[in-house]
Amino acid sequence: MDLDSVRTFVAAAESGTFQEAAAELAVTQQAVSKRIAALERNLGVRLFTRTPRGAQLTIDGQAFLPHARELLRVAERAVASVRTGCRPLRVDVIASRGAASGLMRGFHRAHPGIELDVMWLFDIGTAVDALRSGEIDASFRAVAAPGRPLPEDIESVRVLDEVLQLLVGAGHALASARSVTVTQLAGHRIWMPGIVPGTEWAAYYDALVTEFGLTIEATGPNFGSDALLDTIADTPALATFMGEQTRLVWPAGHGLRRVPVTDPIPVYPHSLLWHRDNPHPALAALRAHLATTTAGHDAAGTWTPGWVMAR
């Protein structure tokens, strides 16, 4: 159905004359008559009866009018959903409880008038494809995995170095330690079932293992954070790494402890990625917010893999 004809019908119905509808739409009265005639042919009914006082809706015209108005409203919403600056800013944060999600919550508090669509994509390849297609406007990632440089049209800026901590249960040998060095972790079993080969976080932990001789196990299915916490609490031989800003809640009876890791402090690098030609005005606001609210990176005494981009 031609929307111009529907718009013309609504204008004529509300004004009561084809002449006033033509003036409102900035077209000729003949164009109004042609559009109404075409719509009537399409619907198979008469919509107006000509009278000395103008154009009067028929019974069919009266029945069609509310639906015609709704068609125009739907069309307006459809256009607004993709018009730059009118649709929400779409941002991938990888996981709902991680540091990137916390950064976006801070942005939302600082800019409550900016609409957001927050989503969770899997790996950096999926995120980059979504950025290039326009499916999303920005993504938080560790940039870049070795051997997988970013395409030239994808920009990035490092926004946060998140300190990693050791999470252990009450029965673990390190449960009472005030801190532990990375080298002291050699020989301890660190269980991380969420590591998936080929992802940027798998590359990060592979580098950590190679650098310090750690034992990281990714065996078994990943049943989510609750199951991970239950297992760590119940298994004295197991520990796991947890980001300092990862927000998790566990039962008091679990007795879980976060133990600081030092000499050096392993940090996980978070970067913001976006397409260089993305014109969404809220994207500039997000970048400016992150530039003023996040700390520097590569601080003394910290460790990241050598392939991590400094910018």
Side-chain angles (χ1 to χ4, degrees):
M1 186 176 296
D2 179 58
L3 286 177
D4 282 338
S5 296
V6 175
R7 189 171 290 105
T8 302
F9 162 74
V10 171
E14 292 178 345
S15 66
T17 70
F18 284 12
Q19 182 178 4
E20 290 185 27
E24 178 184 337
L25 299 172
V27 298
T28 65
Q29 187 172 339
Q30 183 181 18
V32 170
S33 297
K34 287 183 176 181
R35 290 178 183 179
I36 296 297
L39 184 60
E40 289 177 329
R41 287 194 300 272
N42 187 19
L43 295 174
V45 297
R46 290 193 65 189
L47 299 171
F48 290 99
T49 299
R50 297 286 192 124
T51 71
R53 300 175 60 181
Q56 182 176 346
L57 285 171
T58 64
I59 293 177
D60 290 321
Q62 294 174 31
F64 182 61
L65 181 58
H67 301 290
R69 288 171 172 153
E70 181 60 23
L71 280 172
L72 297 180
R73 285 193 291 268
V74 170
E76 290 172 1
R77 290 196 297 269
V79 172
S81 71
V82 295
R83 184 179 291 138
T84 299
C86 295
R87 63 166 175 78
L89 184 73
R90 296 182 290 245
V91 182
D92 157 45
V93 298
I94 305 179
S96 61
R97 297 181 176 181
S101 182
L103 291 176
M104 288 307 300
R105 288 195 299 272
F107 174 69
H108 180 59
R109 287 192 296 269
H111 300 272
I114 294 179
E115 290 190 65
L116 297 174
D117 277 343
V118 177
M119 55 200 64
W120 303 270
L121 301 180
F122 183 62
D123 64 3
I124 192 170
T126 303
V128 167
D129 289 344
L131 289 170
R132 302 184 83 182
S133 69
E135 179 184 346
I136 62 173
D137 299 298
S139 175
F140 288 90
R141 296 285 155 177
V143 180
R148 298 171 64 182
L150 291 176
E152 292 184 359
D153 55 348
I154 300 298
E155 302 284 347
S156 72
V157 61
R158 195 149 145 203
V159 295
L160 175 67
D161 280 4
E162 183 183 14
V163 171
L164 291 188
Q165 298 172 328
L166 192 71
L167 186 69
V168 298
H172 194 276
L174 298 174
S176 61
R178 297 183 62 182
S179 65
V180 60
T181 66
V182 177
T183 54
Q184 287 175 329
L185 294 178
H188 289 279
R189 295 171 60 196
I190 301 171
W191 187 53
M192 303 191 67
I195 295 180
V196 179
T199 59
E200 66 264 32
W201 56 90
Y204 175 90
Y205 287 106
D206 284 345
L208 189 64
V209 166
T210 301
E211 183 91 8
F212 300 104
L214 305 185
T215 301
I216 294 181
E217 303 175 8
T219 55
N222 180 14
F223 288 113
S225 59
D226 289 342
L228 172 66
L229 297 177
D230 291 344
T231 302
I232 295 299
D234 295 338
T235 312
L238 293 181
T240 193
F241 281 122
M242 189 71 61
E244 184 179 45
Q245 298 187 30
T246 300
R247 297 170 61 90
L248 293 174
V249 178
W250 52 79
H254 273 18
L256 294 171
R257 276 209 60 209
R258 290 177 180 261
V259 180
V261 181
T262 63
D263 299 325
I265 301 170
V267 297
Y268 192 87
H270 297 274
S271 291
L272 184 74
L273 278 61
W274 70 93
H275 193 280
R276 67 184 178 193
D277 295 328
N278 188 315
H280 200 300
L283 178 58
L286 174 61
R287 291 168 52 193
H289 171 82
L290 293 174
T292 60
T293 59
T294 55
H297 50 264
D298 291 330
T302 61
W303 176 89
T304 56
W307 45 261
V308 171
M309 297 173 67
R311 63 187 176 93

